[in-house]
Amino acid sequence: MSYEPPTPPANLPTEIVNTLNESDPEQLQDVASYAEALAEHKEREARLEESADQEEVKERPDDLPDDVPAKATITIKEINDNRYYYWQWREGEKIRSQYKGPVNPDE
């Protein structure tokens, strides 16, 4: 009795198929676990990005520049004893800022 190897998906690149065919069973199990975890991670990122895009459609403040997302908040930074307003928002792991103007001391 002979067993035929499984047929790889047609959209899988040849170099990946060849690498998998050269792998031992333990490596293949590791690849399967990693591929499943990576797929879940990418799907979650896509859902979060889509949800963030939908949130940005909400009403934008009148003084919000076009290149600043609607989810941005205003923060005050003190530089050389002067206070300034900055738009601030998160892009992935990074926090972005954009200058808005000086804080009016009369406020």
Side-chain angles (χ1 to χ4, degrees):
M1 184 186 257
S2 76
Y3 294 99
E4 293 295 320
T7 303
N11 63 345
L12 206 55
T14 304
E15 59 271 12
I16 292 176
V17 172
N18 291 341
T19 300
L20 292 173
N21 284 334
E22 295 166 3
S23 301
D24 64 42
E26 185 177 333
Q27 288 173 319
L28 289 171
Q29 289 298 331
D30 290 343
V31 167
S33 296
Y34 172 71
E36 187 173 330
L38 184 60
E40 288 173 5
H41 171 77
K42 288 187 175 222
E43 287 170 351
R44 185 172 45 253
E45 275 189 335
R47 284 192 306 272
L48 289 173
E49 200 171 293
E50 182 178 313
S51 137
D53 288 346
Q54 289 174 353
E55 287 176 17
E56 285 186 33
V57 172
K58 293 178 184 173
E59 198 172 306
R60 294 173 61 87
D62 292 337
D63 60 344
L64 186 65
D66 290 338
D67 56 343
V68 173
K71 63 185 175 184
T73 59
I74 295 177
T75 59
I76 297 175
K77 294 184 181 185
E78 190 166 321
I79 303 170
N80 298 330
D81 294 327
N82 295 308
R83 294 166 36 113
Y84 302 95
Y85 287 120
Y86 280 83
W87 292 105
Q88 198 167 57
W89 66 97
R90 181 176 290 281
E91 283 182 6
E93 296 295 315
K94 296 185 178 183
I95 294 177
R96 303 286 184 192
S97 296
Q98 181 171 319
Y99 177 76
K100 181 179 185 318
V103 173
N104 185 346
D106 299 333
E107 289 180 358

